[in-house]
């Protein structure tokens, strides 16, 4: 490697004597730097997840108290058919809906914060896709959405966190189904590209314009009323934590294609 001689060499400085390693002792610098960067990112992700967990705990406690008291108020108004009681019930129902929205946002935020905490093992994207398609198919059929897997039988093994990668697939397929309110199809395709495994999710939905594509991975950006705006940012965090990449192609009226690439396991 550059910087290493073919024999052990002594470099004498005023403060110490350093022995340069022979080739058999040399450490691949690129690999070392990559590991250091992974360790740094893992430390940051762990800190973020810890902070998010503490914040969620502090929010959930009063949120649960509010929800419980709203239920008690609703029970007290049961059987009261006066105009005032009906008006109060509408207000209580509205507040309960807002509490549920807050709970959903909180869960999405926790998923986003914990997306970088990986428990890696050798696995196949084909297995992730097959398991999820089997789970999603009844719901998709009820919404007139056809799921069409096309899996490469020679797909390379990758290092992945099965739970998080499934969550990424959940978020992408949920978006795809929501983009096809009148039905359509989702193709889930795996293939090999060099030393990478590729997963593509292609829908026949309404597509996105350039402005939406440029902002879709920004936290809290959403085009859907009531959306948390954390679904796609969570997908990106999961993919990048796996040392992978995600890209998107979409046009209004022409559907959307997401492509995830992951490095093959060495």
């Amino acid at each position: 490697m550059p910087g290493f001689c073919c024999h052990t060499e002594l470099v004498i400085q005023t403060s110490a004597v350093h022995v340069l390693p022979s080739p058999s002792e040399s450490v691949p610098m690129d690999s070392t730097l990559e590991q250091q960067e992974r360790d740094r990112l893992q430390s940051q992700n762990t800190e973020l997840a810890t902070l998010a967990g503490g914040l969620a705990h502090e929010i959930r406690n009063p949120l649960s108290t509010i929800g419980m008291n709203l239920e008690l108020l609703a029970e007290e108004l049961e059987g009261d058919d006066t105009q005032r009681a009906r008006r109060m019930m509408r207000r209580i129902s509205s507040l309960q809906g807002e509490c549920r929205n807050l709970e959903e946002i909180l869960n999405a935020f926790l998923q986003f914060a914990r997306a970088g905490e990986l428990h890696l093992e050798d696995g196949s994207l084909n297995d992730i896709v097959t398991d999820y398609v089997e789970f999603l198919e009844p719901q998709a059929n009820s919404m007139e959405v056809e799921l069409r897997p096309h899996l490469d039988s020679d797909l390379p093994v990758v290092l992945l966190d099965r739970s998080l990668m499934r969550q990424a697939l959940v978020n992408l397929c949920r978006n795809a189904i929501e983009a096809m309110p009148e039905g359509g199809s989702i193709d889930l395709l795996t293939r090999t590209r060099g030393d990478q495994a590729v997963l593509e999710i292609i829908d026949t939905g309404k597509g996105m314009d350039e402005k939406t594509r440029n902002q879709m991975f920004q936290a809290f950006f959403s085009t859907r009323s009531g959306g948390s705006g954390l679904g796609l940012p969570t997908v990106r965090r999961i993919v990048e934590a796996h040392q992978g990449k995600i890209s998107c192609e979409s046009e209004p009226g022409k559907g959307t294609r997401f492509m995830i690439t992951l490095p093959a396991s060495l």
Side-chain angles (χ1 to χ4, degrees):
M1 293 185 62
F4 292 108
C5 299
C6 295
H7 59 278
T8 301
E9 179 184 345
L10 292 179
V11 179
I12 302 178
Q13 297 180 341
T14 55
S15 58
V17 176
H18 301 277
V19 179
L20 295 181
S22 64
S24 62
E25 300 170 325
S26 63
V27 178
M29 295 302 294
D30 289 345
S31 177
T32 301
L33 291 174
E34 288 176 4
Q35 184 60 48
Q36 289 174 347
E37 180 66 10
R38 283 196 293 269
D39 291 344
R40 184 185 68 81
L41 291 174
Q42 182 66 32
S43 177
Q44 288 181 346
N45 286 326
T46 300
E47 182 178 8
L48 176 60
T50 301
L51 290 172
L55 177 63
H57 177 74
E58 294 301 321
I59 294 175
R60 273 208 172 102
N61 281 343
L63 191 61
S64 296
T65 301
I66 293 171
M68 181 178 65
N69 279 280
L70 287 172
E71 288 182 8
L72 292 174
L73 285 172
E75 289 177 4
E76 290 182 9
L77 291 171
E78 282 183 1
D80 190 337
D81 198 35
T82 64
Q83 185 176 357
R84 177 175 177 273
R86 291 197 299 270
R87 187 169 60 249
M88 289 181 65
M89 281 297 295
R90 286 195 298 270
R91 291 174 178 172
I92 289 172
S93 178
S94 177
L95 288 171
Q96 287 175 324
E98 291 302 316
C99 285
R100 286 192 294 271
N101 287 340
L102 282 172
E103 184 73 24
E104 290 176 5
I105 292 172
L106 194 59
N107 289 334
F109 175 66
L110 281 173
Q111 285 183 356
F112 175 75
R114 292 170 175 167
E117 287 191 307
L118 303 182
H119 302 284
L120 296 173
E121 59 183 357
D122 283 340
S124 171
L125 285 175
N126 285 347
D127 293 341
I128 302 292
V129 172
T130 300
D131 290 346
Y132 184 60
V133 165
E134 183 177 345
F135 169 80
L136 182 62
E137 204 152 32
Q139 178 190 349
N141 289 340
S142 70
M143 303 181 75
E144 298 186 355
V145 173
E146 182 184 5
L147 302 179
R148 303 189 299 208
H150 311 275
L151 307 181
D152 182 352
S153 59
D154 295 322
L155 198 68
V157 171
V158 295
L159 272 177
L160 53 78
D161 183 307
R162 292 182 60 90
S163 177
L164 286 178
M165 194 54 64
R166 179 186 172 97
Q167 185 61 52
L169 190 57
V170 168
N171 290 1
L172 290 173
C173 288
R174 180 190 300 135
N175 282 3
I177 290 175
E178 289 174 354
M180 298 181 291
E182 298 179 1
S185 64
I186 302 175
D187 288 278
L188 299 102
L189 181 150
T190 62
R191 57 186 173 87
T192 304
R193 188 176 69 182
D195 60 351
Q196 296 176 321
V198 178
L199 169 61
E200 296 184 47
I201 298 95
I202 308 164
D203 69 58
T204 58
K206 58 188 177 182
M208 295 180 281
D209 58 24
E210 184 178 1
K211 181 180 178 182
T212 301
R213 291 198 310 272
N214 290 338
Q215 299 181 78
M216 63 184 178
F217 289 123
Q218 295 178 10
F220 302 111
F221 171 78
S222 178
T223 59
R224 180 170 60 88
S225 176
S228 69
L230 288 171
L232 288 178
T234 298
V235 172
R236 185 175 69 171
R237 274 179 59 82
I238 291 171
V239 172
E240 292 181 348
H242 284 79
Q243 309 300 311
K245 295 180 181 180
I246 182 169
S247 60
C248 175
E249 298 174 7
S250 186
E251 291 184 38
K254 295 185 178 180
T256 300
R257 175 198 301 261
F258 281 97
M259 183 169 69
I260 295 171
T261 59
L262 299 179
S265 177
L266 300 178

